[in-house]
Amino acid sequence: MKAELLRVGMGNIAGVASAIFYGGPGSVFWMWMIAAIGAASAFVESALGQAYKVKNPDGEFSGGPAYYIEKGLKCKPYAILFAIVAFLGPGFLMPGVQINSLVTVFEEAFSVNKILVGAICCVILGIVVYGSIKRIAQIAELLAPAMCAVYILAAVIILGLNITKLPGILKMIIQSAFGVHAVLGGIVGSAVSWGVKRGIYSNEAGMGCGAIVSAAAECSHPAKQGLIQSFSIYVDTLFIGTATAMIVLLTGTFDVADAAGNLLISQTGGLESGIKWTQHALISTFGTWSGKALAIIIVLFVFTSMTGYCYQAESNIRYLTGNSKKAVAIARAVFLAASFLGAIVNADAVWAMGAVRIRCLIRQNSVSKMRPERGTEKKIVDLVSAIFLIMNRFRNFLCI
């Protein structure tokens, strides 16, 4: 369940909706494709995280890219550089995206002040992150299954109510993805670009995030944890991401714009793209109560993502400082401050910060997986993992 703690978040709702706005329905197809390839990266980084994890004095395991870069590539300076970037990503650049979406949906559902909601969220989050890692894991494991099940159930109901529209929507997705749609054919490049970007943002495969969490698990063989993480990619993108796509597409709650900002499809009356699309799609189907229910679901999505980000940030700070308690306390304070920033900064700014984090982590982590220490592949490769390694080489070629 820690895999979903890390991967499920606003990328599955607001991210999918924004991909449709900028890239058209065809971006959904390319999100599916990047999930298939990204599962390979998730396998490799998680298996390497298991192979090179270390046991802390408190009995817990730590691992991730910084550890397998140092021990596998034998390059401590590069490991330190990665750890710094990996702290800045989840510790400073990413929290604002989650909080921004949360305060937006609460403002829409309950007409409450964004700053007030942001402050309350940060206080609650602070109570949790200043507790133990075990408490974070326990809370997340209780919340993650419920939030996923309720959200997918809502999507299934909408699918059933609009089943006659499904063939047309699937046709639009495929035609838009390959540039043969009469209206959307001119933005096929945007469909590919936004599908890949939001797909990676959603499942975080290839950035090394999953390796940090999976290294804490105990299993008999590194490949087992790799396969679990690979499966989590499919759950994240093919189930939850697709649920969002079906909710907005089947209800017609979406617009599509070209690179110049001109609307090619306009159906929402100027509604801001992102989380509000999903909210209004649910309201149009189930009534106003569903908008409030979505706000509660968003709290669970954001909460589990944020606790995952905090765990990642702390893990890298511990690596850099040798488990300094003072450094961890400061890192948590920076994390909470960055979280509150999301309540007062506009959505474009926080999403741009998230994009910087993704580019930095993918490039650095891709290099670290290309040439592991001799003998490492014997630890993690069997028939299935060999296939995943080949797919990972192909994905690294695309992303660098």
Side-chain angles (χ1 to χ4, degrees), residues 32 55 99 104 123 128 131 192 239 342 384:
W32 294 337
K55 195 168 187 177
I99 294 296
T104 297
V123 169
V128 175
V192 177
F239 288 179
V384 176

Side-chain angles (χ1 to χ4, degrees), residues 226-240:
L227 291 172
I228 291 172
Q229 291 289 329
S230 295
F231 178 72
S232 76
I233 300 297
Y234 298 128
V235 172
D236 177 276
T237 304
L238 298 186
F239 288 179
I240 303 174

Side-chain angles (χ1 to χ4, degrees), residues 70-305:
E70 177 185 349
K71 299 178 181 297
L73 291 181
K74 306 295 184 183
C75 187
K76 183 66 176 286
Y78 189 65
I80 292 174
L81 176 62
F82 183 93
I84 293 172
V85 173
F87 163 71
L88 291 175
F92 181 73
L93 296 174
M94 287 297 295
V97 176
Q98 305 289 335
I99 294 296
N100 183 270
S101 296
L102 187 150
V103 298
T104 297
V105 76
F106 260 77
E107 182 184 48
E108 188 75 13
F110 301 103
S111 299
V112 292
N113 184 271
K114 286 184 176 182
I115 296 178
L116 176 62
V117 175
I120 293 173
C121 288
C122 290
V123 169
I124 296 173
L125 191 62
I127 294 172
V128 175
V129 300
Y130 278 99
S132 67
I133 293 300
K134 286 184 178 180
R135 185 191 301 175
I136 291 176
Q138 290 168 355
I139 293 173
E141 287 177 8
L142 288 174
L143 296 179
M147 71 177 184
C148 294
V150 171
Y151 190 69
I152 292 176
L153 177 61
V156 170
I157 293 173
I158 289 177
L159 176 62
L161 294 173
N162 298 274
I163 192 66
T164 57
K165 299 179 183 179
L166 184 59
I169 292 298
L170 294 177
K171 181 180 179 181
M172 180 185 289
I173 289 174
I174 299 300
Q175 288 182 336
S176 176
F178 292 98
V180 296
H181 190 275
V183 177
L184 305 175
I187 61 168
V188 61
S190 295
V192 177
S193 174
W194 282 94
V196 170
K197 286 192 293 187
R198 288 297 182 253
I200 294 174
Y201 188 99
S202 169
N203 58 49
E204 300 191 333
M207 290 189 281
C209 304
I212 296 172
V213 177
S214 63
E218 295 186 35
C219 62
S220 60
H221 195 284
K224 290 183 178 180
Q225 188 61 213
L227 291 172
I228 291 172
Q229 291 289 329
S230 295
F231 178 72
S232 76
I233 300 297
Y234 298 128
V235 172
D236 177 276
T237 304
L238 298 186
F239 288 179
I240 303 174
T242 301
T244 298
M246 292 298 106
I247 287 172
V248 299
L249 292 175
L250 287 170
T251 58
T253 314
F254 70 97
D255 300 328
V256 180
D258 61 17
N262 301 312
L263 289 179
L264 302 177
I265 296 178
S266 179
Q267 302 180 122
T268 68
L271 188 66
E272 181 184 0
S273 64
I275 191 69
K276 289 185 179 181
W277 284 5
T278 308
Q279 192 170 27
H280 280 258
L282 291 173
I283 290 173
S284 67
T285 302
F286 301 108
T288 55
W289 66 269
S290 62
K292 295 177 174 60
L294 178 64
I296 304 302
I297 293 174
I298 294 303
V299 171
L300 302 183
F301 272 91
V302 168
F303 183 78
T304 51
S305 292

